[in-house]
Amino acid sequence: MTINTFHEAGFDIIALTDEQSGTQVEIVPAHGALLHAFKVRRQGKLINLIDSYSSLEDLRENLHSSFKSVKLSPFACRIKDAAYEWQGNAYSIEKTIAPGNAIHGLLYDAKFTVAEQKASAQEASVTLAYSFREEDTGYPFSYDCQATYTLLPGNELRVTTKVINRSQISIPVMDGWHPYFSTGTPVDELVLTFASKEIVEFDAKLIPTGKVLPYTEFVKGKKLAGVELDNSFVLDFSQAQPLASLLDPVKNIQIDFFPGDHYPVLQVYIPPHRNSIAVENLSGAPNAFNNGIGLVTLAAGEDRTFDTRIKITA
């Protein structure tokens, strides 16, 4: 395994490469610890299964409408009216994409730095770090976010996030990640399977009502033709891993997801163009700062690690 850096399309990229298989993972630290590519060899050619930005200009124009493959922290998805209460105090998130519309946290465009990189015969990894220090009046807390990408043999990528509370008080945390996947085949031809018996009920503005309803439509797999998804599902960890799979039966490509216990929610989103699909591991439901579904409380000095693995068969 090797690690190298290069500049392309306006991005400074770190590449983790399995020289035996040719598999390569590309990360852009300076733009939300962005996962830029996950390339695997198929029929003698490398194909990229991540729907990323074609250039820095593309990212700047479209980041706020897609948030593709960036780090979501200290919350993911939406906070209703950008407001919440914590320990008896009311807060209003300042960083919004429109007044009152807080979405996908505060680090999606943060400039992460390289804290560590390691390569051996068995794996290659890079740890990216960002120190958040009371940078938003609506989240006046301090914490460190460390995102580690590790390439393993067999087309497998482990993504680990460690959040460390640097405040003197307890802080609310919800962790997530926003990867968009594309096999080159339209989403309507893909089959999605995941282990879940429950769906989080949303209102018309995609804010959870606080209820969780029975739902098993994807337990045995379902073709996505005509299916609209922007929903949160509670994963059933009593089932065997992988807990989610995306199959392209046209090209015989399968993407398997192995979320750790601290990612109990699966968010799935199909954008209007239907050329890619976001399959997101989350520690809680949207609006967790208000509804408490999966909300993590970190005491002063405490840390929490969130992890998931993605394995590709092509």
Side-chain angles (χ1 to χ4, degrees):
M1 301 272 190
T2 61
I3 302 174
N4 69 294
T5 59
F6 60 95
H7 186 83
E8 182 178 83
F11 296 124
D12 289 318
I13 296 170
I14 296 177
L16 313 177
T17 305
D18 182 344
E19 293 182 312
Q20 281 196 328
S21 64
T23 301
Q24 183 166 298
V25 170
E26 298 176 7
I27 304 114
V28 181
H31 298 278
L34 166 71
L35 176 64
H36 187 55
F38 191 168
K39 298 176 179 177
V40 300
R41 193 170 299 280
R42 179 180 179 273
Q43 297 179 348
K45 296 181 179 179
L46 278 181
I47 58 170
N48 179 20
L49 297 177
I50 297 296
D51 176 15
S52 187
Y53 301 98
S54 61
S55 65
L56 180 57
E57 181 181 0
D58 180 23
L59 180 147
R60 286 172 173 165
E61 290 179 358
N62 297 299
L63 175 63
H64 288 156
S65 62
S66 62
F67 299 90
K68 290 192 290 191
S69 301
V70 291
K71 185 66 218 167
L72 309 183
S73 178
F75 63 89
C77 305
R78 297 162 181 81
I79 292 182
K80 184 180 180 182
D81 301 325
Y84 66 99
E85 289 189 5
W86 179 249
Q87 295 185 340
N89 296 309
Y91 297 102
S92 182
I93 299 294
E94 181 182 3
K95 186 175 185 175
T96 58
I97 58 171
N101 190 355
I103 188 168
H104 291 329
L106 306 172
L107 302 191
Y108 54 76
D109 57 357
K111 292 183 178 180
F112 282 72
T113 58
V114 177
E116 184 179 37
Q117 46 186 343
K118 298 184 293 184
S120 68
Q122 291 76 35
E123 62 181 49
S125 71
V126 58
T127 297
L128 310 176
Y130 187 82
S131 295
F132 183 92
R133 295 295 181 264
E134 302 179 21
E135 295 163 31
D136 192 295
T137 56
Y139 195 80
F141 313 117
S142 296
Y143 75 101
D144 292 342
C145 182
Q146 300 172 355
T148 301
Y149 292 94
T150 303
L151 179 61
L152 302 165
N155 299 340
E156 187 170 321
L157 174 65
R158 183 171 66 233
V159 183
T160 303
T161 301
K162 185 176 183 179
V163 176
I164 309 165
N165 183 4
R166 300 299 188 189
S167 298
Q168 299 302 309
I169 61 171
S170 296
I171 65 172
V173 169
M174 175 193 177
D175 192 77
W177 182 49
H178 209 246
Y180 280 64
F181 298 91
S182 173
T183 63
T185 299
V187 167
D188 283 355
E189 298 297 321
L190 306 183
V191 176
L192 178 64
T193 306
F194 56 83
S196 173
K197 299 176 185 176
E198 298 170 313
I199 186 173
V200 178
E201 185 183 56
F202 286 177
D203 65 17
K205 295 183 178 180
L206 301 179
I207 299 295
T209 64
K211 295 180 181 179
V212 177
L213 307 176
Y215 188 92
T216 57
E217 282 193 29
F218 288 89
V219 169
K220 295 183 178 180
K222 183 176 181 177
K223 190 174 181 180
L224 292 173
V227 176
E228 302 286 342
L229 284 174
D230 192 356
N231 298 93
S232 293
F233 305 91
V234 180
L235 289 170
D236 182 0
F237 281 91
S238 71
Q239 301 301 308
Q241 294 272 13
L243 292 184
S245 298
L246 186 65
L247 171 67
D248 179 345
V250 178
K251 297 180 178 177
N252 198 26
I253 297 171
Q254 182 158 316
I255 306 170
D256 291 324
F257 301 84
F258 301 76
D261 292 349
H262 289 146
Y263 278 142
V265 174
L266 187 75
Q267 176 87 8
V268 184
Y269 170 61
I270 302 176
H273 57 69
R274 303 187 71 83
N275 292 319
S276 62
I277 178 172
V279 182
E280 314 162 35
N281 291 130
L282 305 178
S283 66
N287 201 32
F289 278 24
N290 286 307
N291 59 42
I293 301 175
L295 184 65
V296 174
T297 298
L298 280 187
E302 188 181 4
D303 63 71
R304 179 69 58 87
T305 298
F306 309 87
D307 69 286
T308 189
R309 290 181 293 117
I310 301 163
K311 184 177 177 64
I312 297 172
T313 305

